[in-house]
Amino acid sequence: MPKIVISGRGGCGKSTLVTLLAQRLGEEGKVLVVDADESNLGLSAMFGVEPPEKTLMDYLGGKPVVGKKLRAMIKSDGNEKVELFAEKMNLDSLPMECVRRKGPIVLLRIGKIEHSMEGCACPMGAVARNFLNYLTIEERQWVLVDTEAGIEHFGRGVIEGVDAILMVVDPSYEAILLAEKAARLSQEVKKDFGVVLNKVDEKTEPILKEKLAEKGVVIKGVLPYSADIAQANLLGGALKLGTVREELDRIVSGIK
Ligand SMILES: Nc1ncnc2c1ncn2[C@@H]1O[C@H](COP(=O)(O)OP(=O)(O)O)[C@@H](O)[C@H]1O
Ligand SMILES: [Mg+2]
């Protein structure tokens, strides 16, 4: 299951799970982490690295240039070949200025909101979708896509080029409703779907499990509330597998 989108409501722990999962999968192969969240800035800090020099959006010429190409693509309706990327890419052929490497982990950012009134973030979604479609993955390679809050990426078609959607569910009624909806949306596009419970304790875990089972949502793993994770994130420090290694082992077996 090589290309996985990590989805979920704001603050549920998407970036935390992406960081821990990348470290765990990095023990078995190469992992490309795609930061497709146009707002949040802290993902590279969670890995303990500086952000890549350029976003993919900047590399492609910036939002106005990309917007023009996208409009041409829509206008040509498939008759004329207008592409964002000249050729297929793999984990070793990504533009150098767009990646930051840490051992087996490669970090890439799609694009960030940089200016007031710059317009909507749809071009970021289109870049992410095209990039994921153009990216080829080999054995023992994974792509983890960290996303913005909510389910906008379903609408934008970012999930088109991925194999599975993993939704992070924190102990809240809203997260249960969102998981039920995302399960249905995933079914519509025939993508594998499952959830990871996050920030749970002995009281909330059984309730969440029961509610999700009632709705037929598949649970692929559980990450308990961890004071170490909360502290590291608060200080802007790198996250370590540390005390949650066993949980990550189980999540990895759940998604394989
Ligand atoms: N398992 C966990 N235990 C404790 N705190 C967590 C856990 N997972 C996430 N958090 C905290 O929740 C907040 C949001 O996490 P983050 O991964 O940034 O969420 P998202 O990417 O979904 O917005 C952070 O302050 C983080 O430290
Ligand atoms: Mg995040």
Coordinates of all heavy atoms in Angstrom, one line a residue, residues 89-148:
M89 N 8.1 10.9 -12.4 CA 9.2 11.1 -11.4 C 9.3 9.9 -10.4 O 8.3 9.2 -10.3 CB 8.9 12.3 -10.6 CG 9.3 13.6 -11.2 SD 8.7 15.0 -10.3 CE 7.0 15.0 -10.7
N90 N 10.4 9.7 -9.8 CA 10.5 8.7 -8.7 C 11.2 9.4 -7.6 O 11.6 10.5 -7.6 CB 11.2 7.4 -9.2 CG 12.6 7.7 -9.7 OD1 13.3 8.4 -9.1 ND2 12.9 7.2 -10.9
L91 N 11.4 8.6 -6.5 CA 11.9 9.2 -5.3 C 13.3 9.7 -5.4 O 13.8 10.5 -4.6 CB 11.8 8.1 -4.1 CG 10.7 8.4 -3.1 CD1 9.4 8.4 -3.8 CD2 10.7 7.3 -2.1
D92 N 14.1 9.2 -6.5 CA 15.4 9.6 -6.7 C 15.6 10.8 -7.7 O 16.7 11.3 -7.9 CB 16.3 8.4 -7.1 CG 16.3 7.4 -6.0 OD1 16.5 7.8 -4.8 OD2 16.1 6.2 -6.3
S93 N 14.5 11.1 -8.3 CA 14.6 12.1 -9.4 C 13.8 13.4 -9.0 O 13.5 14.2 -9.9 CB 14.1 11.6 -10.7 OG 12.7 11.4 -10.7
L94 N 13.5 13.6 -7.8 CA 12.8 14.8 -7.4 C 13.7 16.0 -7.4 O 14.9 15.9 -7.1 CB 12.2 14.6 -5.9 CG 11.2 13.5 -5.8 CD1 11.0 13.2 -4.3 CD2 9.9 13.8 -6.5
P95 N 13.2 17.2 -7.8 CA 14.0 18.4 -7.9 C 14.7 18.6 -6.5 O 14.0 18.7 -5.5 CB 13.1 19.5 -8.2 CG 11.7 18.9 -8.5 CD 11.8 17.5 -8.1
M96 N 16.0 18.8 -6.5 CA 16.8 18.9 -5.3 C 16.4 20.0 -4.4 O 16.3 19.8 -3.1 CB 18.3 19.2 -5.7 CG 19.0 17.9 -6.0 SD 20.7 17.8 -5.3 CE 21.3 19.4 -5.1
E97 N 16.0 21.2 -5.0 CA 15.6 22.3 -4.1 C 14.3 22.1 -3.5 O 13.9 22.9 -2.6 CB 15.7 23.6 -4.9 CG 14.8 23.7 -6.2 CD 15.5 23.2 -7.4 OE1 16.1 22.1 -7.4 OE2 15.5 24.0 -8.4
C98 N 13.5 21.1 -3.9 CA 12.2 20.9 -3.3 C 12.2 19.8 -2.2 O 11.1 19.5 -1.7 CB 11.2 20.4 -4.4 SG 10.9 21.7 -5.6
V99 N 13.3 19.2 -1.9 CA 13.3 18.2 -0.9 C 14.3 18.4 0.2 O 15.3 19.1 0.0 CB 13.6 16.8 -1.6 CG1 12.6 16.4 -2.6 CG2 15.0 16.7 -2.2
R100 N 14.0 17.9 1.3 CA 14.9 17.8 2.5 C 15.0 16.4 2.9 O 14.0 15.7 3.1 CB 14.4 18.7 3.6 CG 15.3 18.8 4.8 CD 16.5 19.7 4.6 NE 16.1 21.1 4.3 CZ 16.9 22.0 3.9 NH1 18.2 21.7 3.6 NH2 16.5 23.3 3.7
R101 N 16.2 15.9 2.9 CA 16.4 14.4 3.2 C 16.9 14.2 4.7 O 17.7 15.0 5.2 CB 17.4 13.8 2.3 CG 16.8 13.7 0.9 CD 17.8 13.1 -0.1 NE 17.4 13.4 -1.5 CZ 16.5 12.6 -2.2 NH1 16.1 11.4 -1.6 NH2 16.1 12.8 -3.4
K102 N 16.3 13.2 5.3 CA 16.8 12.8 6.6 C 16.9 11.3 6.6 O 15.8 10.7 6.8 CB 15.9 13.4 7.7 CG 16.5 13.1 9.1 CD 15.6 13.6 10.2 CE 16.2 13.4 11.6 NZ 15.4 13.6 12.7
G103 N 18.0 10.8 6.4 CA 18.2 9.3 6.3 C 17.3 8.8 5.2 O 17.3 9.3 4.1
P104 N 16.4 7.8 5.5 CA 15.5 7.3 4.4 C 14.3 8.1 4.2 O 13.5 7.8 3.3 CB 15.1 5.9 5.0 CG 15.2 6.2 6.5 CD 16.3 7.2 6.8
I105 N 14.1 9.2 4.9 CA 12.9 10.1 4.8 C 13.2 11.3 3.9 O 14.2 12.0 4.1 CB 12.4 10.5 6.2 CG1 12.1 9.3 7.0 CG2 11.2 11.4 6.0 CD1 11.8 9.6 8.5
V106 N 12.3 11.5 2.9 CA 12.4 12.7 2.0 C 11.2 13.5 2.2 O 10.1 13.0 2.2 CB 12.4 12.2 0.6 CG1 12.7 13.4 -0.4 CG2 13.5 11.1 0.4
L107 N 11.4 14.8 2.5 CA 10.3 15.7 2.8 C 10.1 16.7 1.6 O 11.1 17.2 1.2 CB 10.6 16.5 4.1 CG 9.6 17.3 4.8 CD1 8.5 16.4 5.3 CD2 10.2 18.1 5.9
L108 N 8.9 16.8 1.2 CA 8.6 17.7 0.1 C 7.3 18.5 0.4 O 6.4 18.0 1.0 CB 8.4 16.9 -1.2 CG 8.0 17.6 -2.5 CD1 8.7 17.0 -3.7 CD2 6.5 17.6 -2.7
R109 N 7.3 19.8 0.1 CA 6.1 20.6 0.3 C 5.5 21.0 -1.0 O 6.1 21.5 -1.9 CB 6.5 22.0 1.0 CG 7.0 21.8 2.4 CD 7.7 23.1 2.9 NE 7.2 23.5 4.2 CZ 7.4 24.7 4.7 NH1 8.1 25.6 4.0 NH2 6.9 25.1 5.8
I110 N 4.1 20.9 -1.0 CA 3.4 21.3 -2.2 C 3.4 22.8 -2.4 O 3.7 23.3 -3.5 CB 2.0 20.7 -2.2 CG1 2.0 19.2 -2.2 CG2 1.1 21.2 -3.4 CD1 2.5 18.5 -3.5
G111 N 2.9 23.5 -1.4 CA 2.8 25.0 -1.5 C 2.1 25.5 -0.3 O 1.4 24.8 0.4
K112 N 2.4 26.8 0.0 CA 1.9 27.4 1.2 C 1.2 28.7 0.8 O 1.6 29.3 -0.1 CB 3.0 27.7 2.3 CG 3.7 26.5 2.8 CD 2.9 25.6 3.7 CE 3.6 24.3 4.0 NZ 2.7 23.4 4.8
I113 N 0.2 29.1 1.6 CA -0.4 30.4 1.5 C 0.6 31.4 1.9 O 1.1 31.4 3.1 CB -1.7 30.5 2.3 CG1 -2.7 29.4 2.0 CG2 -2.3 31.9 2.2 CD1 -3.7 29.6 0.9
E114 N 1.0 32.3 1.0 CA 2.1 33.3 1.4 C 1.6 34.7 1.5 O 2.3 35.5 2.1 CB 3.2 33.2 0.3 CG 3.8 31.9 0.1 CD 4.7 31.4 1.2 OE1 4.9 32.1 2.2 OE2 5.2 30.3 1.1
H115 N 0.5 35.1 0.9 CA 0.0 36.5 0.9 C -1.5 36.6 1.2 O -2.2 35.7 0.7 CB 0.3 37.1 -0.5 CG 1.8 37.0 -0.9 ND1 2.8 37.8 -0.3 CD2 2.4 36.2 -1.7 CE1 3.9 37.4 -0.8 NE2 3.7 36.5 -1.7
S116 N -1.8 37.7 1.8 CA -3.3 38.0 2.0 C -3.9 38.2 0.6 O -3.2 38.7 -0.3 CB -3.4 39.3 2.8 OG -2.9 39.2 4.0
M117 N -5.1 37.8 0.5 CA -5.8 38.0 -0.8 C -5.2 37.3 -2.0 O -5.5 37.6 -3.1 CB -6.0 39.5 -1.2 CG -6.4 40.4 0.0 SD -8.1 40.0 0.4 CE -9.0 40.6 -1.0
E118 N -4.4 36.2 -1.8 CA -3.8 35.6 -2.9 C -4.7 34.6 -3.7 O -4.3 34.1 -4.7 CB -2.5 34.8 -2.5 CG -2.7 33.6 -1.7 CD -1.5 32.7 -1.6 OE1 -0.4 33.2 -1.2 OE2 -1.6 31.5 -1.9
G119 N -5.9 34.4 -3.2 CA -6.8 33.5 -3.9 C -6.9 32.2 -3.2 O -6.2 31.9 -2.2
C120 N -7.7 31.3 -3.7 CA -8.0 30.1 -3.0 C -6.8 29.1 -3.2 O -5.9 29.3 -3.9 CB -9.3 29.4 -3.5 SG -9.1 28.6 -5.1
A121 N -6.9 28.0 -2.4 CA -5.8 27.0 -2.4 C -6.0 25.9 -3.4 O -5.2 24.9 -3.4 CB -5.6 26.5 -1.0
C122 N -7.0 26.0 -4.3 CA -7.2 25.0 -5.3 C -6.0 24.6 -6.1 O -5.8 23.4 -6.4 CB -8.4 25.3 -6.2 SG -9.9 25.4 -5.2
P123 N -5.2 25.6 -6.6 CA -4.0 25.2 -7.4 C -3.1 24.3 -6.6 O -2.5 23.4 -7.2 CB -3.4 26.6 -7.7 CG -4.4 27.6 -7.6 CD -5.4 27.1 -6.5
M124 N -3.0 24.4 -5.3 CA -2.2 23.5 -4.5 C -2.7 22.1 -4.6 O -2.0 21.1 -4.8 CB -2.2 23.9 -3.0 CG -1.2 25.0 -2.6 SD -1.7 26.6 -3.1 CE -1.0 27.7 -2.0
G125 N -4.1 22.0 -4.5 CA -4.7 20.7 -4.7 C -4.4 20.1 -6.0 O -4.1 18.9 -6.1
A126 N -4.4 20.9 -7.1 CA -4.2 20.4 -8.4 C -2.7 20.0 -8.6 O -2.4 18.9 -9.2 CB -4.5 21.5 -9.4
V127 N -1.8 20.7 -8.0 CA -0.4 20.3 -8.0 C -0.2 19.0 -7.3 O 0.5 18.1 -7.8 CB 0.5 21.4 -7.4 CG1 2.0 20.9 -7.2 CG2 0.5 22.7 -8.3
A128 N -0.8 18.9 -6.1 CA -0.7 17.6 -5.4 C -1.2 16.5 -6.2 O -0.6 15.4 -6.3 CB -1.4 17.8 -4.0
R129 N -2.4 16.6 -6.8 CA -3.0 15.6 -7.5 C -2.1 15.1 -8.7 O -1.8 14.0 -8.9 CB -4.4 16.0 -8.0 CG -5.2 14.9 -8.7 CD -6.5 15.4 -9.2 NE -6.4 16.3 -10.3 CZ -7.0 17.5 -10.3 NH1 -7.7 17.9 -9.3 NH2 -6.8 18.3 -11.4
N130 N -1.7 16.1 -9.5 CA -0.8 15.8 -10.6 C 0.5 15.2 -10.2 O 1.0 14.2 -10.8 CB -0.5 17.1 -11.4 CG -1.7 17.5 -12.3 OD1 -1.8 17.0 -13.5 ND2 -2.6 18.2 -11.8
F131 N 1.1 15.7 -9.1 CA 2.4 15.2 -8.7 C 2.2 13.7 -8.3 O 3.0 12.8 -8.7 CB 2.8 16.0 -7.5 CG 4.1 15.4 -6.8 CD1 5.3 15.4 -7.5 CD2 4.0 14.9 -5.5 CE1 6.4 14.8 -6.8 CE2 5.1 14.4 -4.9 CZ 6.3 14.4 -5.6
L132 N 1.2 13.4 -7.5 CA 1.0 12.0 -7.0 C 0.7 11.1 -8.2 O 1.1 9.9 -8.2 CB -0.2 12.0 -6.0 CG 0.2 12.6 -4.6 CD1 -1.0 12.9 -3.8 CD2 1.2 11.8 -3.9
N133 N 0.0 11.6 -9.2 CA -0.2 10.8 -10.4 C 1.0 10.5 -11.2 O 1.2 9.5 -11.8 CB -1.3 11.4 -11.3 CG -2.7 11.1 -10.9 OD1 -2.9 10.0 -10.4 ND2 -3.6 12.1 -11.0
Y134 N 2.0 11.5 -11.1 CA 3.2 11.4 -11.9 C 4.3 10.6 -11.2 O 5.4 10.4 -11.8 CB 3.7 12.8 -12.3 CG 3.2 13.1 -13.7 CD1 1.9 13.4 -13.9 CD2 4.1 13.2 -14.7 CE1 1.5 13.7 -15.2 CE2 3.7 13.5 -16.0 CZ 2.4 13.8 -16.2 OH 1.9 14.1 -17.5
L135 N 4.1 10.3 -9.9 CA 5.1 9.8 -9.1 C 5.1 8.2 -9.1 O 4.0 7.7 -8.8 CB 4.9 10.3 -7.7 CG 6.0 9.9 -6.7 CD1 7.3 10.6 -7.0 CD2 5.6 10.2 -5.3
T136 N 6.2 7.6 -9.5 CA 6.2 6.1 -9.5 C 7.0 5.7 -8.3 O 8.0 6.3 -7.9 CB 6.8 5.5 -10.8 OG1 8.0 6.2 -11.0 CG2 5.9 5.7 -12.0
I137 N 6.5 4.6 -7.7 CA 7.0 4.1 -6.4 C 7.5 2.7 -6.6 O 6.8 1.9 -7.3 CB 5.9 4.2 -5.4 CG1 5.5 5.6 -5.0 CG2 6.2 3.4 -4.1 CD1 6.7 6.3 -4.4
E138 N 8.6 2.3 -6.0 CA 9.1 1.0 -6.1 C 8.8 0.2 -4.9 O 8.2 0.7 -3.9 CB 10.6 1.0 -6.4 CG 10.9 1.6 -7.7 CD 12.4 2.0 -7.8 OE1 13.2 1.5 -7.0 OE2 12.7 2.8 -8.6
E139 N 9.2 -1.1 -4.9 CA 9.1 -1.9 -3.7 C 9.7 -1.3 -2.5 O 10.8 -0.6 -2.7 CB 9.8 -3.3 -3.9 CG 8.9 -4.3 -4.6 CD 7.9 -4.9 -3.7 OE1 8.3 -5.6 -2.7 OE2 6.7 -4.7 -4.0
R140 N 9.2 -1.4 -1.3 CA 9.8 -0.9 -0.1 C 9.9 0.6 -0.2 O 10.9 1.2 0.4 CB 11.2 -1.5 0.2 CG 11.1 -3.0 0.3 CD 12.1 -3.5 1.3 NE 11.7 -4.8 1.8 CZ 10.9 -5.0 2.9 NH1 10.4 -4.0 3.5 NH2 10.6 -6.2 3.2
Q141 N 9.0 1.3 -0.8 CA 8.9 2.7 -0.8 C 7.5 3.1 -0.5 O 6.6 2.5 -0.9 CB 9.3 3.3 -2.2 CG 10.8 3.1 -2.5 CD 11.2 3.9 -3.8 OE1 10.4 4.3 -4.5 NE2 12.5 4.0 -3.9
W142 N 7.4 4.2 0.3 CA 6.0 4.6 0.7 C 6.0 6.1 0.5 O 7.0 6.8 0.6 CB 5.8 4.4 2.2 CG 5.6 2.9 2.5 CD1 4.4 2.2 2.5 CD2 6.6 2.0 2.9 NE1 4.6 0.9 2.8 CE2 6.0 0.7 3.1 CE3 8.0 2.1 3.0 CZ2 6.7 -0.4 3.4 CZ3 8.7 0.9 3.4 CH2 8.0 -0.3 3.6
V143 N 4.8 6.6 0.2 CA 4.5 8.0 0.2 C 3.4 8.3 1.2 O 2.3 7.7 1.2 CB 4.0 8.5 -1.2 CG1 3.7 9.9 -1.2 CG2 5.1 8.1 -2.3
L144 N 3.7 9.2 2.1 CA 2.7 9.6 3.1 C 2.3 11.1 2.8 O 3.2 12.0 2.7 CB 3.3 9.5 4.5 CG 3.7 8.1 5.0 CD1 4.4 8.2 6.3 CD2 2.6 7.1 4.9
V145 N 1.0 11.3 2.6 CA 0.6 12.7 2.3 C -0.1 13.3 3.5 O -1.2 12.8 3.9 CB -0.4 12.7 1.0 CG1 -0.7 14.1 0.6 CG2 0.2 11.9 -0.1
D146 N 0.5 14.3 4.0 CA -0.1 15.1 5.1 C -1.0 16.1 4.6 O -0.6 16.9 3.7 CB 1.0 15.7 6.0 CG 0.5 16.3 7.3 OD1 -0.6 15.9 7.7 OD2 1.2 17.1 7.9
T147 N -2.2 16.2 5.1 CA -3.2 17.1 4.4 C -3.7 18.2 5.4 O -3.5 18.1 6.6 CB -4.4 16.2 4.0 OG1 -5.0 15.6 5.1 CG2 -4.1 15.3 2.9
E148 N -4.5 19.1 4.8 CA -5.1 20.1 5.6 C -6.3 19.5 6.3 O -6.7 18.4 6.0 CB -5.6 21.3 4.6 CG -6.9 21.0 3.9 CD -6.8 20.0 2.8 OE1 -5.6 19.7 2.4 OE2 -7.8 19.5 2.3

